[in-house]
Amino acid sequence: MQTIKTALAAALATIAFSASAMTPIQDAELSTVSGQDGVSIAANLNIKIDSFTYTDTDAVDANGLGGGSVSFNGIKVNGLIAANIDILSRNSFLLAAGAAGVTDSGTFYNKTTGGDVVQIAIPQTVVADGHYLNVSVDAIKMGNSTASFGSVALNQIDMRGTTVWIFAH
């Protein structure tokens, strides 16, 4: 009985290995293969930053002006964001840029010799529609003071339809 189990296990392992073996594919065969292009990324952001401080490094003048700092404490970014990433050919990029309202892409991209462009696009419709980005700052303080000017919140930041293009030059 043990011999039968061993033989069966060996046969199953052989089938599994042969099923997953990689075989070369010729160019002619590869040209008939089709599939999805691009990559989609979705994230539920929960970012916390202890503080952001701006310091004026100017020397204090005779009137006591100059120097000082302001800090933004308890910074939080949360919400859902999704993006599609695609590679566009030169012609596809020029069409997309024109559709986005770019009147002369030649000011930043070479229209005759420019290469492929990475496009990052936030879709118009997302799975969790209505759950947009929120940014908040718990306290705004001057210098080393413990007193706060208050807080700031940017709620429901809707970035749908935003497109970013990245290319080499």
Side-chain angles (χ1 to χ4, degrees), residues 9-96:
L12 289 173
T14 303
I15 292 170
F17 285 131
S18 66
S20 65
M22 294 181 65
T23 57
I25 186 168
Q26 300 301 317
D27 286 344
E29 294 173 286
L30 187 59
S31 67
T32 64
V33 176
S34 65
Q36 286 295 111
D37 66 330
V39 175
S40 295
I41 297 175
N44 182 16
L45 300 179
N46 189 15
I47 300 168
K48 295 179 182 173
I49 302 168
D50 184 46
S51 68
F52 167 78
T53 302
Y54 169 75
T55 303
D56 182 355
T57 58
D58 290 344
V60 178
D61 65 16
N63 296 318
L65 302 175
S69 65
V70 61
S71 64
F72 299 82
N73 303 300
I75 302 167
K76 298 176 194 80
V77 179
N78 60 41
L80 299 174
I81 188 166
N84 298 321
I85 301 174
D86 289 305
I87 305 297
L88 302 180
S89 68
R90 178 177 49 246
N91 291 339
S92 295
F93 165 66
L94 293 172
L95 288 171

Side-chain angles (χ1 to χ4, degrees), residues 70-146:
V70 61
S71 64
F72 299 82
N73 303 300
I75 302 167
K76 298 176 194 80
V77 179
N78 60 41
L80 299 174
I81 188 166
N84 298 321
I85 301 174
D86 289 305
I87 305 297
L88 302 180
S89 68
R90 178 177 49 246
N91 291 339
S92 295
F93 165 66
L94 293 172
L95 288 171
V102 176
T103 56
D104 184 10
S105 58
T107 59
F108 57 89
Y109 177 82
N110 190 317
K111 293 190 256 186
T112 55
T113 62
D116 291 344
V117 175
V118 176
Q119 175 177 279
I120 303 171
I122 298 173
Q124 287 289 346
T125 305
V126 293
V127 175
D129 209 18
H131 292 79
Y132 307 122
L133 290 179
N134 299 299
V135 178
S136 65
V137 177
D138 291 340
I140 303 169
K141 299 179 181 181
M142 295 293 288
N144 295 322
S145 174
T146 57

